[in-house]
Amino acid sequence: MPRPEDTPKDQASAEAEVEHFRQNLGPFVVAAETTRTPMVFMDARRGGHRITFANDSFLSLLGYARDEVLGQSFDSLMAPGVQPQAWSQVLSAFEDGSDVDREVRYCRKDGTSIWASMRISPVRNQHGVVVQHFASISDLTAHKQEQAELKLLVDELNHRVKNTLSTVQAIVSQALRNSSDLAVVAEAVESRLSSLSRSHDLLTRESWHSAGLADVILAALDPFGVADDRAERFAVAGENIRYSPKAALAISIAIHELATNAVKYGALSNDAGCVRVTWALVSPNGESARRVVLRWQEVGGPPVAPPVRKGFGSGVLECGLAYELAGVVQLDYPRDGVVCTIDIPAPSEAGHG
């Protein structure tokens, strides 16, 4: 921090001021030297707000040795980019002798900066003339970091809520388009919202960073007995590739739709059918961009025939995954059981849980 215009004479003068303090303000200076609050005195009789005293706490906070700050301009401790309004208020305190408490960024010796609250108070002689400025400093760096982290959390929460509301809106809209029976609409909406809730629970346990594909699928199938009395009717196999929260929610809703259809019309509508869910990472035609191909296959259920028209489930599958994940969904209806192939991009870095 010492600048070319700062001379040994300035430091010697500052050291003399410290000695003068000890003689005239003895107990106060001793207290300032030993307190854990960073404190500094500046000369009010000369320009530049030269530092005449700095306690150990102040030196430790900014990382300087005492001989590196004594005689230096207090202005030189300000970090680049200090808001002009904040600094003008600090200067006004120096000029008119009033108390002021401002949050300002300071530059440490190692080049890093800290946020601190600085309270400046005048020190007057027996004639009422301001001869020194006394400043006490409180480190606010941790507080500022917490504020920044809290803002990020609030912004992320806002983003998630909007995405969730958008998903709910799509579920309700699709249900209303497919039926005018309020009981049917209510059942469709309630079951999908329940599935969405389970997905949120899974992501919450994962701190909303990502979720494993196997975990997402098992959570979506949980209401259909994948871990209970119907466990033997499910075969789920594949690497636990980790997907983003947005992708995990879309996949969960898709699996829920397939299982709901299987319970109503397919392999889970009788006592003999079962469902196989498998997936693998592939590189189509040798391309570097990998994709995940998931296959849902039903066997042992009633004979299957292609539907006369697309229902709620197929609409959610084809439109939802295509919109949310740039995925491709193919539904086939061989007589021995529905087959759904879902082709979606692999995560940029396919991690495994």
Side-chain angles (χ1 to χ4, degrees), residues 32-39 54-63 66 137:
E33 283 182 324
T34 57
T35 183
R36 289 184 294 179
T37 300
M39 294 182 176
N55 68 359
D56 289 340
S57 296
F58 178 86
L59 299 172
S60 175
L61 178 64
L62 296 184
R66 181 166 279 103
I137 296 173

Side-chain angles (χ1 to χ4, degrees), residues 251 254-255 258 292-296 317 321 327-330 340-344:
I251 294 167
I255 296 298
L258 289 166
V292 171
V293 177
L294 184 148
R295 180 180 173 87
W296 170 284
L317 280 168
L321 288 177
V328 178
V329 177
Q330 181 177 333
C340 179
T341 304
I342 300 173
D343 184 335
I344 54 178

Side-chain angles (χ1 to χ4, degrees), residues 25-329:
L25 301 175
F28 179 76
V29 173
V30 172
E33 283 182 324
T34 57
T35 183
R36 289 184 294 179
T37 300
M39 294 182 176
V40 63
F41 280 94
M42 292 152 281
D43 192 344
R45 294 167 296 184
R46 293 184 297 168
H49 317 113
R50 301 286 175 174
I51 297 173
T52 57
F53 170 81
N55 68 359
D56 289 340
S57 296
F58 178 86
L59 299 172
S60 175
L61 178 64
L62 296 184
Y64 290 105
R66 181 166 279 103
D67 60 1
E68 292 177 309
V69 299
L70 290 181
Q72 307 300 320
S73 168
F74 187 79
D75 306 11
S76 64
L77 299 177
M78 299 296 101
V82 170
Q83 291 184 347
Q85 181 181 3
W87 183 235
S88 66
Q89 292 188 22
V90 171
L91 289 177
S92 68
F94 285 131
E95 292 167 2
D96 61 23
S98 61
D99 286 355
V100 67
D101 193 348
R102 293 298 303 173
E103 294 180 6
V104 182
R105 280 195 310 125
Y106 298 87
C107 188
R108 303 185 79 250
K109 183 179 178 179
D110 61 9
T112 60
S113 61
I114 63 168
W115 275 99
S117 172
M118 176 176 67
R119 183 166 188 81
I120 300 175
S121 300
V123 178
R124 304 176 187 274
N125 63 14
Q126 63 272 28
H127 304 296
V129 177
V130 177
V131 293
Q132 299 284 338
H133 286 109
F134 165 69
S136 59
I137 296 173
S138 299
D139 187 0
L140 300 178
T141 306
H143 174 65
K144 288 289 186 179
Q145 290 174 342
E146 290 173 359
Q147 284 185 322
E149 291 170 2
L150 179 60
K151 185 180 184 304
L152 285 176
L153 287 173
V154 171
D155 290 344
E156 177 63 21
L157 178 60
N158 185 47
H159 176 69
R160 291 176 191 169
V161 169
K162 286 182 177 179
N163 283 345
T164 300
L165 291 177
S166 178
T167 302
V168 171
Q169 183 181 28
I171 289 172
V172 174
S173 177
Q174 187 78 5
L176 290 172
R177 280 199 301 268
N178 280 271
S179 177
S180 58
D181 187 330
L182 291 181
V184 173
V185 171
E187 188 278 332
V189 171
E190 183 179 351
S191 65
R192 274 90 185 168
L193 292 185
S194 179
S195 175
L196 189 63
S197 175
R198 286 189 298 275
S199 300
H200 274 244
D201 288 341
L202 171 62
L203 287 166
T204 298
R205 292 195 296 272
E206 299 286 348
S207 300
W208 280 82
H209 295 309
S210 62
L213 182 53
D215 298 328
V216 170
I217 292 172
L218 290 173
L221 292 176
D222 185 64
F224 303 95
V226 69
D228 301 316
D229 56 331
R230 288 188 172 185
E232 73 283 355
R233 304 184 67 178
F234 293 92
V236 180
E239 295 185 67
N240 208 16
I241 302 165
R242 301 196 73 83
Y243 270 96
S244 69
K246 178 182 178 181
L249 290 174
I251 294 167
S252 175
I253 291 173
I255 296 298
H256 176 85
E257 294 306 324
L258 289 166
T260 298
N261 189 74
V263 167
K264 290 181 177 180
Y265 316 109
L268 301 180
S269 65
N270 63 17
D271 294 329
C274 63
V275 175
R276 298 169 185 161
V277 188
T278 58
W279 62 93
L281 277 165
V282 299
S283 299
N285 303 318
E287 296 177 7
S288 59
R290 296 193 296 175
R291 298 182 71 84
V292 171
V293 177
L294 184 148
R295 180 180 173 87
W296 170 284
Q297 183 177 13
E298 299 179 24
V299 295
V304 172
V308 176
R309 65 181 181 85
K310 289 185 178 181
F312 178 78
S314 59
V316 169
L317 280 168
E318 295 173 350
C319 299
L321 288 177
Y323 176 76
E324 295 289 348
L325 300 181
V328 178
V329 177

